[in-house]
Amino acid sequence: MEFKDKKDLLDYARKLEGLSISEANINNSVSEQDIKYGKNYSGKGKFGQFIEENYFDKKNDSLSAPDFSEVGVELKVSPLKYLKNGEIRVKERLVLNIISYDKLLNDKNFLDSHFIYKNKSILLIFYFYDNKVPLYKLKVNLVDIWELLDRDFNQIKRDYEYIVEKVENGLAHEISEGDTMYLGACTKGSTQKKSMIKQPNSKQLARRRAFCFKTSYINTIYKTLVLEKRNRISLENRLIKDSSTNFENYINNLFKPYLGKTVHELCLLFDCNIKSKSVNANIARKIIGFNKKNKTFYEFEAAGIQIKTIRVELNGKIKEHMSFKNIYYTEIINEIWEDSAFYEELVSKFIFVIFKKNLNNQGYHLDHINIWNMPQNDIDEAKKVWKITKENIRKGIFDKFPRASENIVSHVRPKGQSSSDLMETEGFGLQKKYCFWLNKDYIKSQI
DNA sequence: GCATGATCATGC
DNA sequence: GCATGATCATGC
């Protein structure tokens, strides 16, 4: 398998997040049979080898080039464990390339070093360690690319130069992992005489060592990447950074191939039920690539991006108002506006997916998309509706919410599975479910 | 023909 | 089982 660029590699690798290899490989060339009964992997690096061969379809090698040499990325897997208190920690140091004491002395310039050539971009696959479970069932938790030169550059450089200096002074046998801060030189192999190797500038034999990220450092990396995942989110930033396109272009490009197609055609393409009330929404989600495995759903949710579909009639009017989440009666009464569920939804970025009535007046087609967020003035206007609604719920008035004719932006209307679909209240028993809506005339004025 | 109330398919 | 994203249905 060859990758176009780092993003291409990361996109593919990220499909592993939350899954095991056997779960992730379902649509791949590797069958579960192959995985289960194939070659036996052994030794410390077995999960890394296993993933490299069975997910990335690469032969294991010990070449000096990075594993994904076409994009200059090295693959590393890192086991995680649970602490008693339920927190997650990286289980052990991350071992990088082996140190050749002789070559190191010709490799003193950190930036030009073999170490940087090999490790400047590392595809990190964090998984939950469990020695009682076969490799194909181990769950991957987090996947990301760590750019060594963008992070902690100065400290890593100091650590590297410290190790070089020790070797230069003929003191390789005195090196200890504790000498350095982030980058360590950890031992490889036993202390037995036969596994000791020669060093330049000294007659003393020294233990074989490899560069590693010390356990504390790889733990910090893990924590950093978990936080970034939570903020990944900055889907927008990531897209700009990764593919030098902006969010709007990115989304537009996703939809471009389908513009002009009828709902009927799209249903066939995406295997959607045309009778479903949310058929247009279902199509839109599939165009964007949402499915059970694809984590873009996470990114959209975390970034607060909402996808809403709109049907436009031949006369340009919009068919229906736009609904939001159910109102939770026991919660809204204690909310303040800026922290309220409705406010949070309104300050989202919206992708409006606009379907237009076909010219023959039969059915709709996907016309265009529009990325929108609500102007502050209109958010202030919606606040009035929210405030009245909240007061009514507090007082127990459940049959007189703001109507579409009473506010230019928003109103409140029922939303349940039926009129006997009820929700609990604070002191007024069970009541019919309602939600906030944006008025269709208001939407029309915005697109 | 629109405002409002009622309800549906889907996915987790 | 139920929230969600939405459309359907009807009465004025």
Side-chain angles (χ1 to χ4, degrees):
Chain A
M1 200 171 289
E2 292 255 318
F3 296 96
K4 278 201 315 260
D5 50 30
K6 283 185 195 173
K7 182 183 182 301
D8 189 32
L9 168 63
L10 185 58
D11 284 347
Y12 178 73
R14 263 214 184 116
K15 291 183 186 159
L16 277 172
E17 278 187 347
L19 303 175
S20 67
I21 293 292
S22 69
E23 289 167 326
N25 254 330
I26 284 164
N27 298 320
N28 243 358
S29 54
V30 183
S31 75
E32 198 153 330
Q33 289 271 319
D34 293 337
I35 293 173
K36 276 183 189 166
Y37 306 110
K39 132 182 192 191
N40 275 324
Y41 296 84
S42 62
K44 276 222 135 183
K46 61 182 176 181
F47 188 59
Q49 288 174 28
F50 175 79
I51 262 192
E52 198 171 351
E53 291 197 352
N54 288 302
Y55 188 69
F56 294 104
D57 205 16
K58 279 214 180 290
K59 281 268 172 298
N60 290 150
D61 60 47
S62 40
L63 295 178
S64 62
D67 296 314
F68 301 102
S69 52
E70 73 273 23
V71 292
V73 176
E74 176 75 359
L75 171 69
K76 288 288 168 195
V77 299
S78 180
L80 301 169
K81 62 175 181 185
Y82 281 101
L83 302 184
K84 286 240 159 57
N85 66 9
E87 285 180 35
I88 298 170
R89 287 279 189 287
V90 177
K91 185 168 162 282
E92 60 200 26
R93 67 178 63 73
L94 188 81
V95 179
L96 304 168
N97 55 311
I98 195 113
I99 301 174
S100 159
Y101 295 128
D102 291 326
K103 287 185 187 154
L104 199 59
L105 294 187
N106 299 319
D107 210 14
K108 288 192 275 190
N109 185 331
F110 179 65
L111 268 182
D112 294 334
S113 66
H114 177 69
F115 172 80
I116 286 298
Y117 168 65
K118 180 99 169 153
N119 300 302
K120 66 177 187 308
S121 304
I122 304 174
L123 178 67
L124 286 169
I125 299 183
F126 292 96
Y127 68 100
F128 290 106
Y129 173 80
D130 188 341
N131 59 2
K132 292 185 284 298
V133 159
L135 297 177
Y136 62 88
K137 278 194 176 164
L138 290 172
K139 289 268 186 192
V140 171
N141 170 253
L142 181 73
V143 176
D144 216 328
I145 290 180
W146 185 258
E147 297 289 355
L148 200 142
L149 296 178
D150 294 351
R151 319 246 193 178
D152 311 313
F153 169 80
N154 287 323
Q155 185 58 53
I156 301 269
K157 181 166 180 280
R158 275 196 290 274
D159 289 341
Y160 181 85
E161 288 168 351
Y162 177 90
I163 294 165
V164 171
E165 195 187 321
K166 278 265 178 174
V167 175
E168 191 154 39
N169 294 333
L171 298 171
H173 55 288
E174 282 186 8
I175 293 174
S176 144
E177 200 177 329
D179 289 346
T180 46
M181 304 286 280
Y182 295 173
L183 183 69
C186 63
T187 55
K188 290 282 277 187
S190 68
T191 50
Q192 293 197 353
K193 264 236 160 90
K194 61 175 182 180
S195 70
M196 304 287 272
I197 57 172
K198 289 185 188 164
Q199 60 168 316
N201 303 339
S202 170
K203 292 240 149 47
Q204 287 251 17
L205 294 179
R207 295 192 60 178
R208 296 179 65 196
R209 288 182 181 270
F211 288 113
C212 70
F213 288 156
K214 296 170 73 170
T215 308
S216 55
Y217 184 53
I218 186 70
N219 255 308
T220 304
I221 291 175
Y222 174 71
K223 268 190 224 160
T224 304
L225 294 177
V226 167
L227 266 182
E228 286 180 9
K229 177 174 173 176
R230 241 165 248 166
N231 301 327
R232 212 186 277 169
I233 346 226
S234 58
L235 173 68
E236 261 190 276
N237 296 338
R238 186 164 280 270
L239 290 170
I240 290 166
K241 199 173 148 197
D242 288 353
S243 53
S244 64
T245 181
N246 63 28
F247 177 70
E248 201 153 339
N249 284 338
Y250 176 76
I251 298 296
N252 273 313
N253 286 338
L254 288 180
F255 279 88
K256 204 175 276 168
Y258 306 104
L259 300 184
K261 289 202 187 296
T262 64
V263 170
H264 184 73
E265 288 168 328
L266 292 167
C267 276
L268 293 174
L269 261 176
F270 289 105
D271 193 26
C272 292
N273 178 2
I274 202 161
K275 287 194 196 129
S276 170
K277 284 188 179 177
S278 44
V279 59
N280 291 0
N282 297 343
I283 290 168
R285 301 173 83 82
K286 291 203 172 173
I287 288 176
I288 290 171
F290 287 9
N291 58 45
K292 278 171 209 159
K293 274 202 223 159
N294 202 321
K295 296 292 180 290
T296 46
F297 182 72
Y298 171 86
E299 291 169 323
F300 269 66
E301 217 174 39
I305 297 167
Q306 300 216 34
I307 303 148
K308 294 283 186 189
T309 60
I310 295 167
R311 288 184 305 172
V312 180
E313 300 304 289
L314 285 177
N315 61 11
K317 292 207 167 180
I318 289 178
K319 183 98 174 165
E320 300 285 351
H321 304 293
M322 182 178 286
S323 72
F324 287 82
K325 290 191 172 77
N326 273 122
I327 298 170
Y328 289 85
Y329 301 131
T330 54
E331 287 175 17
I332 189 174
I333 56 172
N334 298 315
E335 284 174 347
I336 61 163
W337 171 239
E338 285 80 7
D339 297 329
S340 68
F342 187 38
Y343 178 83
E344 209 151 279
E345 290 197 277
L346 290 185
V347 297
S348 306
K349 192 177 279 298
F350 289 81
I351 301 172
F352 287 155
V353 182
I354 298 157
F355 291 83
K356 268 197 180 148
K357 192 71 165 262
N358 294 328
L359 286 175
N360 63 9
N361 216 13
Q362 301 281 311
Y364 295 81
H365 61 272
L366 175 57
D367 194 71
H368 68 286
I369 66 168
N370 191 344
I371 293 170
W372 179 81
N373 52 273
M374 196 172 198
Q376 186 59 44
N377 282 346
D378 299 336
I379 293 177
D380 295 341
E381 191 64 27
K383 178 182 177 181
K384 298 178 189 166
V385 173
W386 175 83
K387 209 172 165 197
I388 295 166
T389 304
K390 174 183 159 181
E391 285 312 310
N392 283 5
I393 292 166
R394 205 201 280 278
K395 290 185 214 145
I397 303 166
F398 287 90
D399 56 356
K400 246 181 71 186
F401 290 119
R403 294 156 178 266
S405 47
E406 292 170 28
N407 182 284
I408 196 161
V409 171
S410 172
H411 66 278
V412 173
R413 256 183 33 256
K415 183 210 206 180
Q417 299 189 341
S418 75
S419 55
S420 51
D421 187 12
L422 305 175
M423 174 159 335
E424 62 175 352
T425 66
E426 200 70 59
F428 302 98
L430 294 171
Q431 296 289 344
K432 269 193 278 187
K433 292 177 181 173
Y434 281 76
C435 79
F436 290 101
W437 300 71
L438 287 187
N439 300 352
K440 55 187 179 182
D441 289 343
Y442 170 68
I443 302 287
K444 189 190 168 194
S445 74
Q446 296 295 310
I447 63 173

